[in-house]
Amino acid sequence: MTGSNGSTAVSDQPALPKPEGLEGVVAASTALSHVFGEEGKLVYRGYDIHELAGNASFEEVAYLLWNGRLPTQDELKDLLLTLGEERSLPGHVIDVIRALPGDAHPMDALRTGASALGAGGGDQFDDEPDLDEAIALTAMFPGILAAFFRLRQGLEPVAPKPEHNTAQSYLHQLFGREPEDRHWRPLEVYLTLLADHGMNASTFTARVIASTGSDLCSSITGAVGALKGPLHGGAPSKVLDMLEAIGSAENVDSWLTDALDRGERLMGFGHRVYKAEDPRAEILRGMAAEASTPEFFELSRRTEERALEMLHERKPGRRLYTNVEFYSAAVLSAVGLPGDMFTPTFAVSRVTGWTAHVLEQVANNRLIRPQSEFVGPTDRKFVAIEAR
Ligand code: ACO
């Protein structure tokens, strides 16, 4: 191969297919969850997501992902007790969050908090990831976000109440008052829906880091960074921005047309694996109908309908459908969260899947180390700086 500078690029590797973005590549084996893209079906440990959503609590789902089966009543009670005991953040983590600028993004605060947890010394997060660490990290995620959310408003963090479940505790620590049923219950269903999702980018990131023998906080810190991107978990606040910019049903067509004419992507549509509707979007649509205002739901519905029609017209054969992020915006707004807390709330759920994947990875580990096709030059000669 000849490069633009005339030098030669070589490869000592056999010619392998190079799927862009690793599409279709099987990167690991997992018994945790699977996305059946053609059917629009999601399964956690053998249970269709429709079986679990609204029936299982978030903690039952977490237990299922970590242990491979649903808990008994006593096991669930023990898990809730442990989560309640583990929620308080170490002082140094609060100090680190306190030191962040108030205009930092909450995902940056979460990434920093997760990293700080791993720098705590002692033996809570030692080098070998285990289930106790997974539970502790899951317990502390809501508190990291709530502390940042309050500190940036000039308010002090709120101590968690041990009797709260995860959804209740998160809202209580954010807003400093007892959460209402109409808020924590839909949030809990949302958390069960987002807990795991096959070999998505952030999960893959967590597994790659775990495969090096690194610690749990490092794996999860990396995963938070991967989730932040708008092509992955960063979309729902952009869905809210889009709906707010559209403003009313009369503007839907012109706004979407202009955005597509500019070559922009419509947030909340399309998916690497689903070639049918994301089953989580279907469940969230039903929740949004109940939880959000009729005006906001109507605007969301109209925007979805027209976006799908336009995407099908403009990208025939691409099979672009509504993804989980579209109605997450309506549901999370309705439970009282501002847009910049949407992706962090996704992480409050997904930390269960990430930690379960890390445990699965280390239980049967082999370093994840792919290859690249080298397309650069190989024979350049160094020229001293004075002569360049
Ligand atoms: N709006 C407009 N066009 C789209 C969209 C969209 N939302 N999604 C895909 N396309 C188009 C692309 O422009 C491309 O068209 P082209 O080949 O004519 O240029 C084609 O569909 C395929 O797109 P790719 O980027 O190759 O598909 P990929 O599998 O990499 O993308 C992704 C998946 C990133 C989710 C994409 O659909 C997207 O950007 N969606 C918007 C952002 C979003 O909603 N992200 C949340 C994803 S869900 C999650 O991670 C939790």
Side-chain angles (χ1 to χ4, degrees), residues 23 194 197 227 230-233 235 260 264-273 275 278 280 311 315 318 320 323-325 346 350:
E23 182 163 4
L194 275 289
H197 205 241
L227 184 68
L231 301 188
H232 187 9
L260 289 170
E264 289 174 13
R265 287 179 179 224
L266 302 180
M267 292 293 134
F269 300 94
H271 197 274
R272 173 60 64 82
V273 185
K275 298 303 166 204
D278 182 332
R280 302 165 301 171
L311 287 171
K315 304 274 175 188
R318 284 296 187 188
L320 299 170
N323 67 43
V324 67
E325 306 286 29
F346 183 158
R350 186 56 61 84

Side-chain angles (χ1 to χ4, degrees), residues 232-306:
H232 187 9
S237 65
K238 296 191 187 315
V239 171
L240 188 64
D241 295 344
M242 173 174 78
L243 292 171
E244 284 175 353
I246 293 172
S248 66
E250 308 84 74
N251 295 336
V252 168
D253 271 38
S254 57
W255 196 97
L256 294 176
T257 303
D258 289 351
L260 289 170
D261 285 350
R262 287 193 300 270
E264 289 174 13
R265 287 179 179 224
L266 302 180
M267 292 293 134
F269 300 94
H271 197 274
R272 173 60 64 82
V273 185
Y274 288 119
K275 298 303 166 204
E277 184 173 83
D278 182 332
R280 302 165 301 171
E282 178 202 335
I283 297 168
L284 286 163
R285 186 187 294 112
M287 290 166 62
E290 286 180 19
S292 57
T293 63
E295 298 74 36
F296 193 75
F297 182 69
E298 198 37 48
L299 177 64
S300 305
R301 195 77 183 99
R302 177 76 191 147
T303 302
E304 181 192 26
E305 274 168 15
R306 289 299 293 134

Side-chain angles (χ1 to χ4, degrees), residues 328-384:
S328 292
V331 169
L332 295 179
S333 289
V335 307
L337 296 170
D340 69 354
M341 295 300 285
F342 291 177
T343 305
T345 305
F346 183 158
V348 165
S349 166
R350 186 56 61 84
V351 67
T352 55
W354 290 333
T355 51
H357 274 275
V358 168
L359 297 181
E360 193 181 50
Q361 179 68 36
V362 300
N364 192 14
N365 190 48
R366 183 143 196 258
L367 175 70
I368 299 175
R369 203 300 189 189
Q371 294 190 6
S372 47
E373 180 200 23
F374 183 65
V375 295
T378 58
D379 53 1
R380 300 170 94 178
K381 300 286 176 238
F382 181 76
V383 178

